Amino acid sequence: MDLHQFKIQVFPLKNKLYRLAKRLLEDSEEAQDIVQEAFIKLWNQREKLDEYRSVEALAVVMTRNLCLDKLKAKKYPTESLENLKADIPEPGVDTKQESDELVSRIKRIIGTLPEQMRTIIQLRDIEGYDYEEMAKILGMKENAIRVNLSRARKKVREIMIKRKLYEFQRN
């Protein structure tokens, strides 16, 4: 795709992408930055754009993902996490090993869940998103997210209980 085709196909999407970014970020300047970043990414992929059925759909998804990345970066700044981590006293070796083992077990169990449940439990319990944000990200109703989260947690709990009983019986 050359510059002329790019101007014809991609530039008219500018206002649509800006409205999407502004709605998600609620900040005009950040929305403009995101649209610019999306345009740069699209320009860098201009040779491959002909392979896509809809350049508009690609641009919208790209803009949405950039906005979500921006929101996540705002919500969980890494600097403050490092400061918090320094304030937490180191647990004893046994306690740390047990908790690490428990965390890895839970992660393995979550990994066995169906994709939708896995995504929902990841967003809510691990990354800390609220239901409204999850609804926007997943394109689902908040109630459906609550139901799926409840089922996912129940499934994890059931598996943990079964494994505990199995370990207890082995000993």
Side-chain angles (χ1 to χ4, degrees), residues 59-130:
V60 169
V61 168
M62 192 178 286
T63 303
R64 179 178 151 265
N65 289 341
L66 289 168
C67 288
L68 295 176
D69 289 345
K70 185 77 141 181
L71 288 170
K72 190 172 14 173
K74 271 192 216 176
K75 189 167 185 171
Y76 303 105
T78 54
E79 297 169 350
S80 65
L81 288 177
E82 293 303 318
N83 294 339
L84 289 173
K85 193 175 180 181
D87 294 339
I88 298 172
E90 276 296 313
V93 176
D94 293 338
T95 309
K96 184 163 176 42
Q97 283 179 330
E98 288 174 10
S99 62
D100 288 347
E101 188 177 315
L102 180 62
V103 167
S104 67
R105 270 191 205 166
I106 292 172
K107 284 182 180 179
R108 281 194 306 267
I109 291 170
I110 290 172
T112 65
L113 295 175
E115 183 178 343
Q116 188 176 35
M117 284 183 171
R118 188 173 54 237
T119 303
I120 289 172
I121 207 165
Q122 173 78 27
L123 289 174
R124 179 68 180 169
D125 292 341
I126 298 173
E127 295 181 22
Y129 282 94
D130 62 31

